[in-house]
Amino acid sequence: MLINSSCILCGTVDDLSTGQICPDCFADLPSHPAGICPGCGAPANESPACPRCFAHPPAFDCCLAGCVYRYPVNQMIKKLKYQARLDLVRSLTRPLIERIRHECIGPPDCLVPMPLHSLRQRSRGFNQARELASAISHTLCLPVDDRLVQRHKNTAQQYNLRQEHRIKNVKNAFSLIKSNSYDRIAIVDDVLTSGATANELARLLKRHGVEHVQVWCVARATPAAN
C-alpha cells in the first residue's frame, strides 16, 4: 500500500509506506561508520581492541545504535523528548531496527526501557524510551517489560556533567520492582553518551541473574558529536 505524504525532513511528497522520511533523507541519516567497537558502540579507530573497553569494560555485553548522534537525528530526539513529538518514534527507530536485524546475535527475552524517575515522567507526560521500545516490540515481536526496574533516585541531567560526575550521579539510581526471570535483556534508550547510566542499570540486572545485557539505542554520541 502506497502512502503519499510529506517527508518530515525535506517536505518532499513521496511514498512513505516505510516511515515518515523519504528514501533520499533516510539514506543521508548519520549511520555508524565501519570500525566501531561491538562492546560499547564507540569508534575503535581501527585498533585491534577498543581502548575504552580495555580501560573500563562496560557492564553490558554489547551496544547496537541506529545512528550517530548528530543532525538531523539529534534534533529529532530533542523534539521527541521536549516537544512530545511522538510522531517521530517510527522514523527514529527504523535505522536501529535494521541494524538489529542484521547484527543482533540471539534475540533477548524482553526489552527493558530505560526508566525515568516518576517526577520527571510526570512532568514530561511520557517516557521516550518506553515509546521507542514499543515501536521496536511491534516490529520485531519482542515483549516489553517496563515493570521490572524503577529509577528511585531523581538524578540530575547527565548531558552537562563530566564523566566522573556522571558515574556518581547514577550510582545506585535503580532498583528491581519484582523478581527477575529473564536470562537475556535489551535495554532500550534514546541516546548513549558515556554509557554511565546504561552501565549502572546493566550492573543491577546482572546482580539479579541476567546473563546477557544488550543496549539498543537510537543514537550513539561520539566525541566529535558532543
Side-chain angles (χ1 to χ4, degrees):
M1 177 179 178
L2 296 181
I3 302 175
N4 290 319
S5 186
S6 298
C7 173
I8 59 175
L9 294 179
C10 71
T12 299
V13 177
D14 206 330
D15 166 25
L16 303 184
S17 57
T18 57
Q20 302 136 302
I21 300 178
C22 70
D24 288 342
C25 286
F26 184 77
D28 288 338
L29 290 179
S31 59
H32 270 282
I36 62 168
C37 171
C40 68
N45 297 322
E46 300 182 356
S47 59
C50 173
R52 298 173 185 83
C53 290
F54 181 79
H56 304 286
F60 49 85
D61 297 281
C62 69
C63 172
L64 292 177
C67 294
V68 177
Y69 187 66
R70 62 172 184 258
Y71 184 83
V73 173
N74 57 352
Q75 297 303 312
M76 293 168 68
I77 290 174
K78 289 175 183 177
K79 287 179 179 179
L80 166 64
K81 293 169 66 172
Y82 305 121
Q83 298 178 22
R85 288 288 304 275
L86 301 181
D87 59 304
L88 297 176
V89 166
R90 187 180 177 193
S91 294
L92 284 169
T93 54
R94 186 178 160 200
L96 172 59
I97 289 170
E98 289 195 2
R99 189 163 181 222
I100 292 168
R101 282 173 165 162
H102 284 93
E103 299 185 30
C104 179
I105 301 175
D109 299 325
C110 77
L111 310 180
V112 172
M114 180 64 70
L116 288 177
H117 188 269
S118 57
L119 293 177
R120 186 168 298 168
Q121 181 158 337
R122 193 176 304 128
S123 173
R124 185 170 295 170
F126 65 97
N127 177 1
Q128 72 278 0
R130 180 63 178 84
E131 300 297 327
L132 296 168
S134 179
I136 297 169
S137 167
H138 178 76
T139 302
L140 300 181
C141 299
L142 293 170
V144 177
D145 193 338
D146 60 357
R147 298 182 181 276
L148 178 63
V149 294
Q150 67 178 349
R151 189 189 298 238
H152 61 260
K153 180 180 176 183
N154 191 15
T155 56
Q157 295 278 8
Q158 291 276 78
Y159 66 86
N160 58 351
L161 299 178
R162 299 174 67 88
Q163 173 65 12
E164 61 270 22
H165 295 146
R166 287 173 183 251
I167 295 172
K168 183 177 180 180
N169 184 45
V170 297
K171 186 174 178 59
N172 299 320
F174 303 104
S175 56
L176 251 67
I177 302 175
K178 62 180 183 180
S179 298
N180 170 61
S181 59
Y182 305 112
D183 293 326
R184 300 172 62 87
I185 282 177
I187 299 169
V188 177
D189 206 358
D190 52 356
V191 183
L192 187 78
T193 305
S194 70
T197 307
N199 263 320
E200 188 65 21
L201 181 52
R203 275 192 284 268
L204 173 73
L205 294 172
K206 289 197 169 183
R207 284 201 303 269
H208 289 272
V210 181
E211 296 179 3
H212 189 272
V213 178
Q214 305 178 54
V215 176
W216 292 357
C217 57
V218 167
R220 179 65 162 97
T222 66
N226 288 337

